[in-house]
Amino acid sequence: MNAIAVYEGADKPVVTEKPRPEPSAGEALVRTLRVGVDGTDHEVIAGGHGATPAGDDHLVLGHEAVGVVEDPNDTPFEVGDVVVPTVRRPPNGANEYFARGEPDMAPDGQYHERGIVGAHGFMAEYFTSPAEFLVEIPPALAEWGFLVEPISIAEKAIEHAYASRSAFNWDPESALVLGNGSLGLLTVATLDEDFERIYCLGRRERPDPTIDIIESLGATYVNSNDTAIPDVPEAYEPADFVFEATGYAPHAFETIEALAPNGVGALLGVPGDWEFEIDGGRLHRELVLHNKALVGSVNSGYSHFEAAVESLAALSEAFLGDLVTGVYGLDDFEAAFADDDTTIKTAVEFAAYEER
Amino acid sequence: MNAIAVYEGADKPVVTEKPRPEPSAGEALVRTLRVGVDGTDHEVIAGGHGATPAGDDHLVLGHEAVGVVEDPNDTPFEVGDVVVPTVRRPPNGANEYFARGEPDMAPDGQYHERGIVGAHGFMAEYFTSPAEFLVEIPPALAEWGFLVEPISIAEKAIEHAYASRSAFNWDPESALVLGNGSLGLLTVATLDEDFERIYCLGRRERPDPTIDIIESLGATYVNSNDTAIPDVPEAYEPADFVFEATGYAPHAFETIEALAPNGVGALLGVPGDWEFEIDGGRLHRELVLHNKALVGSVNSGYSHFEAAVESLAALSEAFLGDLVTGVYGLDDFEAAFADDDTTIKTAVEFAAYEER
């Protein structure tokens, strides 16, 4: 079968031939429909993140997949079920984090991530997975199912941020999403029902398709070239909730200044080392005197995928159509890895969904 | 009656004569037993924190009080009840935070703090308080009741930190308390039942009475002159929970490096402005990839005082005797404001408790 992989030392993905996988006991065989591309894929390709499976010279890419069960192989699934796989797998049998359904809380060394670190991804015509790591979704969502994984990332971060405010009565009204990439835009859309006012910060100038999407969602675009994050409270309003999806390290600390009293910032970016100066005294004092919190969040678990399916079902086709700027077949899969100002979200299509 | 106050422009507290307060409707009159002294009092005296009540040229000190109801004045209390007052009061009638019993979550301008900002404190022979701000404690705890307020500060911070970890299965084993002042020591004692291993960091050299207390509690002293906070994980172990009670701003950020994966740091210090360099990229990445959180916490509410009464009752007399290095009458109240290496926790005594 065909797969899209990046070889060690290479800086571009290629189509490669791999044997079609055979499901082991407890695993189903899934025919891949679509696999999304995100910033993590670009980091993996650039060699800044992730690792090939032990003993292999390449990594099959892809962690945002949707597919159709081809062979249930004695799992509870039926042929034709539309499924989305979760990403983390236990490296050596199970461990406590997987045993309690919280692989997203496993520390370094206690997980592989398919398509990212230590395990091949889903960018292939078929993949196998233990049934416990497959989330069934409604067939009507098959076309957009590759968005379940990125939405699940937001769901987990939001859940953890809300948990941090659960010791008191918290009634957030305003949210500030840092980053107008695909995760930022999906988060703006996902938060839409919970917040009266949503702001989304980016560094693009008009005209720009991401700004159009932000405004079509009823949110306000904040141009970081005009308004630095610490100035957002005065220029717009303090945010009860900040969702950082930029990976730009100063933003993690500026978040403290953008927050309203009793607010929380969810941090999701993964920057490299970078030393810079902060007014640490002011930020420390601000965290304490106004009961603010910062919550880091990585990956997502089964329950977050389930929540993401609900959220995806609530998103409009118009928004999804604007967000997904391209779905490409194997013939022009390179286009799915473009990283320019007209590309927002892309996917590689391995097969079209056909209802049975 | 006699009161201990600091006058505007002065840098020392004095005994001053004030009229005995008359309880208004809904208020009880309380005869003061003891009032503790802490770092906030020192900051208020130094002029770095707090404000006198509008129209007054002085502030009666004291926010850590215990007293006996002298006149219930139609409140549910009875003469002789031993009570501890909470600290915050609504500035102009009630507001939403006080209405729902969460004055500790009120932002600037929505609260006064007795003995700190905008309202006279409890360092006087009598004080009045609305009954809803008085917490009854067992008479057996009358002697140590002035410790309920500082313990309540720890209870709130611990509650909020735990809440931030409530979205997953968190089973913390190791705690690191930053600061061996009275709040740090009370926290070590309070955490004792919940953690298998507790570390307490300070910058004192042996022999030192606070180190003796830390070790008598079964905790491990970490000398910050030998081991910087980022080195604690390697020199000792990473901490599931960090409790910052130093007000030293770099500690707020170093906390991220001391935490174990999925750990949380509660921040309580209130430093002044201070610019310094951090490896913000590494800290941001560490927060995210290991699901870490920082939670700022200030003040405490009624429920935290109630929890503190329980915690106080569980502390040993031996520990309390070591912690409280002096209780002074009005004749030598200045000694209660000493700030040297032999002073840990002090109180001013206005009256001895007599069982009725």
Side-chain angles (χ1 to χ4, degrees), chain A residues 9 20 63 71-72 84 88-89 130 157 168 186 190 198 233 271 284 320-321 325:
Chain A
R20 177 168 145 172
H63 57 279
D71 176 5
V84 168
R88 288 195 172 176
R89 297 290 180 275
F168 62 97
L186 279 167
T190 302
I198 302 179
H284 183 181
L320 294 168
T325 49

Side-chain angles (χ1 to χ4, degrees), chain A residues 284, chain B residues 203 229 244-254 269-271 274 276:
Chain A
H284 183 181
Chain B
R203 54 186 178 188
I229 293 174
E244 178 273 320
T246 63
Y248 184 77
H251 287 176
F253 304 93
E254 291 169 352
V270 183
W274 184 10
F276 50 81

Side-chain angles (χ1 to χ4, degrees), chain A residues 138-325:
Chain A
L141 295 178
E143 189 182 2
W144 307 113
F146 63 95
L147 297 172
V148 169
E149 196 276 344
I151 297 173
S152 78
I153 299 297
E155 298 284 357
K156 176 187 164 179
I158 294 166
E159 182 192 53
H160 281 228
Y162 272 66
S164 81
R165 311 288 78 188
S166 62
F168 62 97
N169 195 308
W170 191 54
D171 187 17
E173 295 183 355
S174 59
L176 169 63
V177 174
L178 305 179
N180 56 343
S182 58
L183 181 58
L185 297 175
L186 279 167
T187 302
V188 170
T190 302
L191 291 175
D192 199 24
E193 295 208 350
D194 295 333
F195 287 85
E196 294 181 28
R197 296 171 305 282
I198 302 179
Y199 303 85
C200 184
L201 177 138
R203 55 186 178 190
R204 304 274 196 93
E205 301 294 339
R206 297 170 193 269
D208 178 84
T210 68
I211 300 175
D212 294 341
I213 290 177
I214 290 163
E215 293 180 345
S216 75
L217 290 167
T220 300
Y221 178 63
V222 177
N223 185 331
S224 65
N225 298 309
D226 303 331
T227 308
I229 293 173
D231 300 328
V232 168
E234 194 165 319
Y236 297 91
E237 64 175 310
D240 296 311
F241 176 52
V242 172
F243 183 98
E244 178 274 319
T246 63
Y248 185 77
H251 287 176
F253 304 93
E254 291 169 352
T255 288
I256 298 166
E257 301 182 82
L259 286 172
N262 308 337
V264 58
L267 306 180
L268 290 90
V270 184
D273 289 355
W274 183 10
E275 295 191 8
F276 50 81
E277 200 165 79
I278 58 170
D279 188 336
R282 191 155 48 89
L283 296 179
H284 183 181
R285 187 174 71 243
E286 190 53 34
L287 279 164
V288 173
L289 289 185
H290 285 130
N291 294 293
K292 297 179 178 181
L294 292 180
V295 177
S297 178
V298 70
N299 194 253
S300 55
Y302 196 96
S303 65
H304 310 118
F305 276 72
E306 290 181 311
V309 175
E310 297 273 320
S311 292
L312 176 61
L315 299 180
S316 76
E317 289 275 330
F319 163 71
L320 294 168
D322 289 341
L323 180 82
V324 178
T325 49

